Structures are given as structure tokens and as C-alpha cells.
Amino acid sequence: MPATPVNVLQTVQTYQKAELAWLLNSFVGISLTNKKFKDFNTTAPSNLGDTVTFDTTPRMISYPGLIITQQPSVQRVQSLICSQAANVSQGYTDQQFIFNVREYLDRFGMAAMKELGTVVEADILKNFTSSVTINDPQSPNVGQVQYKSGPFRFYGDGITPINSFTQLAQSVANFEDFGAATHKMTAILPVANIPAIVGSGLNQFAIDRNDDLAQSWTLGKFANTDWHQSNLLPVHVSGSIAEAAAPANVMTVFSVNDPTGANIISIVFTVDASVGNDANAVKAGDLFQFNDGVVGKPNLRFLTFIGHKPSQQPVQFRAIADAASVGNQVTVQLQTINDVGLVSAGNQNQNLNTAIQAGMTVTPVPSHRAGILMSGDQFYMAMPRLPDESPYTTVTTVDSDSGASIRHYFGSQFGLNNRSYVRDVIFGSTLVAENCMRYAFPL
């Protein structure tokens, strides 16, 4: 009577489920992302290619009186491109498999999942500095950099430490003052900066909160925000102007691309003579803030996102392309929010309290480690289910709660004494700009 065959499929499925659970419990970014579009390739039959487009919050403007002024209804959209791919594979001879590997496959699997999870986690966290480079060799857009995702606002100057509950509470207040969504407020901070913040809280007279802090040494929840930590948050390396000492880091507005103020997407700045001709003057992802107190110029302020009323927030922006200084000038391309830049003209996209004028100045933020404050559950990630690798044993279980999906397949090359176990994934991510803000922690 023949021996009962080993059910390899069941073994692979067991490993896959255990490793997937570990992945979701160990990487905060993967865990927190919204998986609404997890199966967009199968649930949206009209969708073609590796991109899904979704709506963001529409904008309107009100006018005084009862005489109407009709305005266009503009559908604001953003794209999630599933453009990233990664794999971890292992190869064995039959002898290695039966004597050394088979009973140890779960441990090898955990090491493989840690590596694969770290690649995915680190990549999606790059949305915080908005420099996700498409890495899938099979993608027609391989090598391109996606800049529309992620924050244009920020907290911190990259020099002053962010190390207290007061600063975090102020950052949340700044965030809410702009008018972003206030539900599902979530933050991720660098793990190495958490102890100093917790220590500052322990010095305050808040008995119940401090008992929790002393026991867990984590921030937990306060200021209507859930606070998390990560050791994989990206570092942004700024251009040479941001790294210069004052006053060489101050840039003066010379002109804008649209003097009407309807859609400013680039600004020409005059820079300090010491900058000279520098190919690295500005780097994509650099952050800038308009300065207050310039003689003869009004202080520039953001309008609230809804209602278009002046907030207390200085105007900030992010560069989306490297820029070289030529002579004493440099042209900075600005991040656009659904293809709209800085707007002082009185329409539904207005976000400035007054026009940008020649002579106003900005100061960029030097190199820093990025954290994030975000809201509205608008950090999206997709991990579509990959097809079976027939005729090889394949398992692709999609986690019912999170939508995370890692394909496992196992097989041998006929007559070559070589068998392989492969884990692979395709994924993409995006973060809606108006509902997030970068923290700039000094390096």
C-alpha cells in the first residue's frame, strides 16, 4: 500500500498565514494604511493597468448676498500606482532540504518575511518625504519618481529638537488650524526620539497619564491623536541652500510663473552671492516657509482648507524637482495639490491670504528625519493578489482585515536537484497631501 503523500500545500499555507500575521503586527506603516483598494485589479473591471484613481475632497467657495455666482464643480482626483515589486527566494538541494531545511523552514520563513516586510515598509514610508521611485523592472515607468503624494506642510525647522508633549500638541493645533480632516488622527515618530518626549511628560503633573507613560514608555493617545513609532522613517537630504548658515539660506522672491495668482507652480528666487552656480542648490522634497516681518511686505498666511478664512499658519511648500542655481537665481517647482499650486486669486482653490510679492523671503529646512501626522485614513496602500505559479504549489492568502497579500510558491527543477521557496509581492501607496504634515526631526 503506498505511503500517504505529504500535503505540501497545507504546509505552505500554514507558513504563509503565520508570516503574514507577523508582518501586519510588526510594521506600523503597513498596519495603518487604508487597504480600500486592495483588490482594485479585480473589483474594478473597468480599471486597466496598474493604476487606480480615487476622489479627494471637492472644494467650493461662498459669496455674500443672494445674487448667485455660479462656479464649476471640479472632481479632485489622486492616483494610486501599484508600481513596486520585491521578492525573497531560497534554494536548496534535496539533501539540504531533508537534512537541514524542512524542520527549520518556519525560521527561514520568518527571516525572509522580516526582510521583505522591511522593504515594503521603508518604501511606503517614503511618501512622507514624497520620493518614491518606481522599482519594478517590468513597469513602463521604472525609475520615475512620484511627487504628488505626501505633505507640503511641516512642523519643525530641522534644527530645534522636537522633544516635548507641548511641541506635539502645538503641531496638532497647527494641523487642525489649517482645516484638515480631524477624524482618525494618527502620527508616526522616529523611535529614537520617543524617550525624550516621554521624559518631558513625566516632569508634568499628570498622575494618571504619567503612570501609563512610566509603564509603557510609549506615547499612546493624546491631543485626539494616536501616536506610533518606527525605526524605518526616511531621512531627507536637503539641497545646499538649506544646509547653508544664515543669511545664506534665505531666498528672496524675484518672480512667479503666474502673476494673476490663479495657479503658482514655480517661483524664481534670488539667492545669496555665496551660493554661486550650484547643481545641488535645491533637492526634490526640500521644504520652505515664507518668513514674517519682511519690511514693507505683509505676512503670508494659509487660508483654511474649508471656508477660505485666514489661519494662523505661515505659508509652506515643498519642491518637487531638483534645481540648480545659475548666477544668483534658482527656480523652484512647487508641489501641486490635484494640479493646483499656491493660489491668491479669489476662487474655490484659493489658499493664500494675499498675493506673493517680489521681495518676500523664504527659508528652507535643512536635512532631517521625517515623521508624519495624518488624518482621515487617507494613507492608501494596495497589495493585489498575484496569480498562481502553476504548476508549482502556490498560496496567496489575502488577510481579511488588512488586505495585505504575500504570494508563496514552492517547487523543484526536474532532474536538477534544485528546489526553491519564493515569497514575492507587488504593491503601491499614496498619501493625500492636504491631510498630512511632515515632522522635521534634526539629524
Side-chain angles (χ1 to χ4, degrees):
M1 184 174 180
T4 303
V6 175
N7 190 338
V8 178
L9 174 62
Q10 187 61 42
T11 303
V12 174
Q13 189 170 24
T14 300
Y15 290 148
Q16 198 267 357
K17 287 183 177 179
E19 293 168 13
L20 187 59
W22 188 92
L23 177 79
L24 295 171
N25 289 329
S26 302
F27 294 104
V28 64
I30 295 173
S31 176
L32 290 176
T33 50
N34 185 335
K35 311 299 192 311
K36 175 181 179 180
F37 304 109
K38 59 185 180 181
D39 298 319
F40 72 84
N41 57 315
T42 57
T43 57
S46 62
N47 187 80
L48 299 175
D50 59 359
T51 301
V52 61
T53 300
F54 59 93
D55 294 343
T56 58
T57 306
R59 302 192 71 186
M60 297 290 175
I61 190 170
S62 59
Y63 298 92
L66 299 179
I67 305 300
I68 66 170
T69 301
Q70 292 186 333
Q71 58 190 287
S73 296
V74 179
Q75 185 180 30
R76 303 174 67 243
V77 297
Q78 187 159 325
S79 296
L80 169 59
I81 305 174
C82 211
S83 59
Q84 308 297 79
N87 76 85
V88 176
S89 61
Q90 299 155 272
Y92 316 103
T93 65
D94 287 342
Q95 294 89 335
Q96 290 171 332
F97 185 77
I98 64 174
F99 294 125
N100 303 106
V101 176
R102 186 162 49 191
E103 301 304 320
Y104 206 67
L105 198 57
D106 58 337
R107 300 292 299 277
F108 285 141
M110 196 62 70
M113 190 57 74
K114 289 180 180 179
E115 176 64 24
L116 193 58
T118 299
V119 170
V120 175
E121 177 82 354
D123 188 87
I124 69 173
L125 296 185
K126 288 179 182 177
N127 283 285
F128 304 164
T129 54
S130 301
S131 57
V132 178
T133 303
I134 297 175
N135 71 357
D136 184 356
Q138 279 71 52
S139 171
N141 300 313
V142 62
Q144 292 185 13
V145 181
Q146 303 175 64
Y147 290 118
K148 287 192 175 182
S149 174
F152 59 92
R153 291 179 295 144
F154 57 93
Y155 180 84
D157 58 10
I159 300 171
T160 306
I162 303 173
N163 56 11
S164 72
F165 275 83
T166 301
Q167 288 170 300
L168 296 187
Q170 184 64 59
S171 71
V172 173
N174 292 357
F175 186 76
E176 293 179 333
D177 188 33
F178 178 80
T182 56
H183 68 286
K184 292 189 176 181
M185 297 272 287
T186 304
I188 307 175
L189 306 181
V191 62
N193 295 85
I194 298 297
I197 299 171
V198 172
S200 76
L202 293 176
N203 292 327
Q204 298 173 345
F205 187 73
I207 298 175
D208 292 340
R209 185 198 69 186
N210 285 354
D211 286 344
D212 293 336
L213 285 175
Q215 291 177 23
S216 65
W217 213 251
T218 58
L219 299 181
K221 184 179 180 70
F222 76 94
N224 191 38
T225 304
D226 291 310
W227 301 87
H228 302 270
Q229 61 192 39
S230 173
N231 68 333
L232 296 176
L233 288 165
V235 169
H236 174 70
V237 178
S238 299
S240 58
I241 296 177
E243 297 292 275
N249 62 340
V250 176
M251 305 161 63
T252 303
V253 175
F254 179 78
S255 64
V256 297
N257 71 291
D258 183 0
T260 70
N263 187 20
I264 296 173
I265 59 174
S266 68
I267 303 177
V268 179
F269 291 97
T270 302
V271 297
D272 191 84
S274 63
V275 175
N277 297 332
D278 190 341
N280 298 309
V282 172
K283 304 300 290 184
D286 279 2
L287 299 172
F288 302 82
Q289 178 169 306
F290 278 89
N291 298 318
D292 287 351
V294 177
V295 176
K297 306 296 177 185
N299 293 334
L300 205 56
R301 291 290 182 268
F302 273 129
L303 300 185
T304 56
F305 190 75
I306 302 297
H308 303 84
K309 303 301 180 184
S311 73
Q312 298 183 58
Q313 303 310 306
V315 172
Q316 301 171 332
F317 62 91
R318 179 172 61 87
I320 61 168
D322 294 351
S325 58
V326 179
N328 66 335
Q329 289 188 338
V330 62
T331 300
V332 178
Q333 304 294 321
L334 314 183
Q335 179 183 18
T336 60
I337 312 305
N338 298 106
D339 299 317
V340 175
L342 295 174
V343 179
S344 60
N347 59 43
Q348 62 203 59
N349 294 314
Q350 185 180 0
N351 49 31
L352 304 180
N353 66 326
T354 188
I356 297 175
Q357 303 175 22
M360 290 180 169
T361 66
V362 304
T363 302
V365 177
S367 300
H368 55 276
R369 186 174 296 277
I372 198 70
L373 175 62
M374 52 190 176
S375 66
D377 201 18
Q378 302 224 296
F379 184 19
Y380 293 98
M381 179 181 178
M383 299 176 75
R385 181 182 181 126
L386 287 164
D388 283 358
E389 278 286 342
S390 180
Y392 300 109
T393 299
T394 307
V395 172
T396 309
T397 302
V398 179
D399 181 77
S400 59
D401 294 325
S402 72
S405 171
I406 305 290
R407 179 175 64 180
H408 289 220
Y409 60 96
F410 176 81
S412 59
Q413 292 178 282
F414 184 78
L416 295 180
N417 191 22
N418 180 42
R419 57 182 63 224
S420 294
Y421 195 119
V422 180
R423 297 162 179 84
D424 58 6
V425 61
I426 60 172
F427 63 99
S429 59
T430 192
L431 177 58
V432 176
E434 62 260 27
N435 283 316
C436 60
M437 182 172 73
R438 191 194 306 182
Y439 287 103
F441 284 86
L443 295 180

